[in-house]
Structure formats: structure tokens, C-alpha cells
Amino acid sequence: MTKVIFDCAISLDGYFAGENRGPSNPMGGISMKLHQWMFKQKAFWKHIKQEGGEEDGQDGKLIDDVFARTGSYIMGKRMFDEGEVVWAEDLFEADVFVLTHEKREPWVQKGSTTFYFINNGLESALELAKKSAQGKDVRIQGGAETIQQFLNAGLIDEFFIHITPIFLGKGIRLFERIDEDRYELKVMEIIPSEYTTHIRYKLNKK
């Protein structure tokens, strides 16, 4: 059965991204700090179609696992704008549904990635993404505001957080303005590593 998930890193003080995000400053310039655990893994570089990484460790297997279970993606326009100019061709190898007010024809890439630009809300994007996923999971890719919208709409089934042991002190918090009465959360799994702590949560709507 298709689940709606997100999988992302945050700092110890809860930040998902830095300030002043934009195409010339992706994630507010904090990605190297926040995702150090991921950049060390050969699996990460393989999935973004580049050479790199130092390790084939447990963290890398978790990266492989989330790509393997994902059948389609949903993201916000800000995240798309930051990535459009730098992402490799056919990076996602699945359909990607971009929430936006912009009217735009689908962007069909070589391979199996097509970006669809959705103008009529979360539920419409999710319906299309579930159909496209063909039994696999729908991953809410980001950014933080898009994840928050899906959480507050009661549409998330599960999430996997990677808590990086750094303090950022400012930026965009992942769990800002969340409806605290929407879910009961259950810890499903805790996986420590040298670089981060992975925690998987199941969400049950109240």
C-alpha cells in the first residue's frame, strides 16, 4: 500500500535550511554542514549521478532504501527553482509533481523523470503522485513549508529524520507552525551512526 513519507535532515536545534534561500544560495548555504553524513556515502553520489563519497556504510544503505521505496515525488516551487539549474538529467527517475502557481507544460527529461506543474493544491498533486507511484511510496521532497502543509493537512503516514549534531541558530525550522493535535506519533526505529541519528516515526491521525 502506498504511503506518503518524507525523509530529510535537520540540525540539533531543528533547522531544515538556512536563511535567504534561492537558486544562487540553495538551502540557505547550509547543506554541507547539514548533510555531511550523506555526502560521505558513495550511495548518495550514485543517486545524483556523480562520482564521490568515501564509504559504503549503514548510512548509505538507508539512502538506497528510500530511493528504492519511492515511486513519485512532490515538491514546492522554491525547491524546484533551486535545483532546476544544477540537477542531473533524469535525477529522480520518477514523476515529480511541483506545487506552483506558474502555468507550465510538463518538463519531460531523457529517461523516466517528468516534472508536472500542479496549480490546484496538495490533494490534487497527491492523487496524481499516488497513481504514478504504482504501489510504491510518495515522497514529499521539500522544502520545509511544503512538508508542513502536508503534515497540517493530515496527509503524512511516516517520516524519517536524520538529526545532525550541529547547532545552526537561525534559518527555516522543519516543524514550525505544526498542528500539535493532528497526530499521535510512534517511534518505529532509532539508528545511531558516527555522523547523525536516524529516527523513523509512524503517524496516526487522531
Side-chain angles (χ1 to χ4, degrees), residues 5-16 34-35 37 59 62 66 69 139-140 144 147 151 156 158-164 173-175 185 187-193 196-203:
I5 66 171
F6 64 88
D7 182 307
C8 62
I10 59 173
S11 66
L12 196 57
D13 50 347
Y15 289 98
F16 173 93
L34 196 60
H35 299 114
W37 70 274
D59 291 343
L62 297 176
V66 74
R69 69 183 289 187
R139 181 177 175 183
I140 311 303
I147 291 172
L151 279 170
I156 300 293
E158 179 185 311
F159 65 85
F160 205 18
I161 291 291
H162 316 283
I163 303 175
T164 304
R173 290 184 185 273
L174 179 59
F175 296 115
L185 278 74
V187 176
M188 298 173 63
E189 188 175 20
I190 300 174
I191 306 171
S193 84
T196 187
T197 302
H198 312 280
I199 308 179
R200 192 186 309 277
Y201 291 88
K202 180 181 180 182
L203 289 80

Side-chain angles (χ1 to χ4, degrees), residues 12-49:
L12 196 57
D13 50 347
Y15 289 98
F16 173 93
E19 298 179 315
N20 303 313
R21 291 184 62 180
S24 62
N25 190 36
M27 294 203 70
I30 56 84
S31 189
M32 290 300 294
K33 293 181 180 179
L34 196 60
H35 299 114
Q36 183 183 26
W37 70 274
M38 194 167 63
F39 294 151
K40 288 181 177 290
Q41 301 302 315
K42 293 180 181 179
F44 168 74
W45 295 97
K46 174 187 70 177
H47 285 293
I48 67 167
K49 306 182 187 303

Side-chain angles (χ1 to χ4, degrees), residues 81-95:
D81 286 344
E82 289 182 7
E84 181 179 13
V85 295
V86 296
W87 286 332
E89 185 87 0
D90 198 26
L91 175 66
F92 291 93
E93 299 182 357
D95 289 337

